[in-house]
Amino acid sequence: MSARDEQGPRAPLWPWLQPALQGALDQLNSHAVLLHGAPGIGQFEFGLALARAWLCEAQPAGSAFRPACGLCASCHLIDAGSHPDLKVVLPEALQASLGWQAGGSEEGEGGDKAEKSSGKGKKLSQEIKVEAIRAVVQFSQNTASRGRAKVVLLHPAERMNLVAANTLLKTLEEPPGQVRFVLSGSALDELLPTVRSRCQAWRLPWPEEAAAASWLADAVEGLSQTDAQVLLSAAGGQPLTARERHELGLDARYWPMIPKDLVQGNATALTSWPLPLVVETLQKLCHDLACTAVGAAPRYFPASSLPKPPHLDRLTLWSQELRKLSRHAEHPWNAGLKVETLLLQARAVMAPKVSRPR
Ligand SMILES: [Zn+2]
């Protein structure tokens, strides 16, 4: 949140995505666009940059779109979150972190709803619900207030529930004149094929490692360039994920020590982490051990930090158990699940002399 605040509420396009913007503006001419790529690289901000460009009132007449000027009335209205021809649709749970007040559902129209709700401990919805899509349909049918175009930015598209996706389908099929849709997300196989087929797809480029690491070193106070590299690898090369994991307690200097600490039964630092982060970390370790077991390079941990890999059968079994758990790690009934149990299991898998789990 703090890094977001420093950038202002309408974050500019991430540096690793800037080179791709002009190409996207040149090629994306459909009324409906589907942006996809790995999570944690900035689909939403890229979609917003497209919307800004399409709505920018300083575009030269008759020629191709350029990135938004950032100075015209339209750009200022987007910065203020009050452009009448832009509709941003996000699940409640993402509104605060993306710095955007969704104007989709009926309760989405006023105030700092997300903060208030989370303050009371109310569970914020992870879904895009049909009420939000009904508002989109209605928005699409109005004429553009500023006479230029209208844009609907919907993120993450795969979070539309089935009813919501079906409700959107007809408007995507026969869009009213001036409206353009940007759907973005990272799990597009979870999206209805009928929705996918109505959109022009655009794959976001993978962040270039050096650019991503130097951004991360700037974004996280006190993080050296070397530590930024470690943190970036720990997040599978996704810079936004890396920053978020750091905020959850992942320490770049501790990360390479985790495998050996686990083997020795000393990984007590992990007990203060949220359960989903522990599960994810163990999944990454399991993945990397499987890589080294077949002679491939690890992806998340430095090769030198990994113990000798156990037999693949054992890793497969562990991986299956972790995957099952990861699907439900955020469920309240898992709150009582002891991280210690998971750590013991990890130790047992990696150290053959200790008795096997289960
Ligand atoms: Zn402008």
Side-chain angles (χ1 to χ4, degrees):
M1 278 281 269
S2 56
R4 168 82 48 194
D5 294 342
E6 285 159 25
Q7 291 165 12
R10 312 291 164 235
L13 187 57
W14 304 112
W16 57 88
L17 289 177
Q18 282 165 10
L21 182 59
Q22 185 61 63
L25 287 169
D26 291 342
Q27 288 171 46
L28 294 175
N29 42 30
S30 167
H31 72 277
V33 164
L34 187 52
L35 299 175
H36 60 106
I41 65 172
Q43 289 92 343
F44 174 76
E45 289 82 357
F46 198 80
L48 189 59
L50 289 176
R52 281 169 76 91
W54 291 333
L55 293 170
C56 177
E57 288 161 7
Q59 290 288 350
S63 60
F65 282 101
R66 303 231 179 97
C69 74
L71 301 168
C72 72
S74 167
C75 287
H76 282 311
L77 283 167
I78 292 177
D79 287 341
S82 54
H83 198 299
D85 297 324
L86 173 64
K87 190 147 196 80
V88 175
V89 184
L90 299 165
E92 286 175 345
L94 286 182
Q95 291 171 14
S97 63
L98 289 174
W100 201 281
Q101 188 59 42
S105 55
E106 63 274 25
E107 76 270 54
E109 302 292 346
D112 299 319
K113 169 176 68 73
E115 273 171 32
K116 270 189 247 164
S117 304
S118 55
K120 283 179 191 161
K122 180 197 154 204
K123 187 99 177 133
L124 296 171
S125 174
Q126 296 281 353
E127 280 192 339
I128 293 175
K129 294 176 182 164
V130 68
E131 293 78 22
I133 301 301
R134 288 204 190 105
V136 164
V137 172
Q138 197 179 7
F139 168 84
S140 310
Q141 284 157 357
N142 305 334
T143 12
S145 299
R146 299 185 67 82
R148 197 168 174 91
K150 283 186 299 179
V151 182
V152 175
L153 175 54
L154 200 149
H155 175 86
E158 64 266 22
R159 299 270 188 89
M160 275 189 288
N161 63 34
L162 194 62
V163 186
N166 275 309
T167 304
L168 181 66
L169 208 53
K170 196 167 158 40
T171 306
L172 276 184
E173 211 164 34
E174 297 165 22
Q178 290 173 296
V179 67
R180 303 183 78 149
F181 289 87
V182 182
L183 279 61
S184 60
S186 54
L188 300 187
D189 50 334
E190 290 171 20
L191 197 58
L192 277 188
T194 40
V195 168
R196 280 207 310 260
S197 67
R198 278 160 183 76
C199 299
Q200 182 182 6
W202 174 266
R203 185 167 187 83
L204 271 92
W206 194 261
E208 201 256 314
E209 201 185 320
S214 47
W215 170 81
L216 193 59
D218 283 347
V220 176
E221 208 185 321
L223 195 71
S224 72
Q225 194 71 25
T226 316
D227 288 348
Q229 294 277 2
V230 171
L231 205 53
L232 191 62
S233 296
Q238 301 163 13
L240 301 178
T241 307
R243 184 179 67 182
E244 191 197 318
R245 297 298 182 270
H246 174 81
E247 285 165 0
L248 288 174
L250 197 157
D251 176 347
R253 262 166 267 181
Y254 182 57
W255 180 258
M257 290 152 69
I258 290 175
K260 282 180 185 126
D261 268 6
L262 279 169
V263 171
Q264 290 163 5
N266 290 335
T268 46
L270 271 63
T271 55
S272 64
W273 288 8
L275 181 62
L277 183 59
V278 174
V279 175
E280 183 190 279
T281 299
L282 296 176
Q283 283 184 301
K284 287 174 174 174
L285 178 57
C286 182
H287 169 276
D288 277 5
L289 288 169
C291 285
T292 55
V294 298
R299 179 175 181 197
Y300 304 103
F301 288 89
S304 60
S305 73
L306 295 169
K308 185 170 174 289
H311 195 276
L312 269 180
D313 289 350
R314 192 175 276 201
L315 288 173
T316 307
L317 201 64
W318 190 29
S319 148
Q320 285 164 354
E321 287 179 16
L322 288 170
R323 194 182 319 136
K324 226 182 292 166
L325 189 58
S326 74
R327 292 197 197 111
H328 307 290
E330 300 203 36
H331 280 207
W333 51 256
N334 255 325
L337 179 76
K338 289 272 187 289
V339 170
E340 285 89 344
T341 312
L342 287 172
L343 303 187
L344 282 174
Q345 185 189 41
R347 187 182 185 192
V349 170
M350 286 190 287
K353 283 184 188 142
V354 180
S355 61
R356 294 185 62 162
R358 314 181 314 123

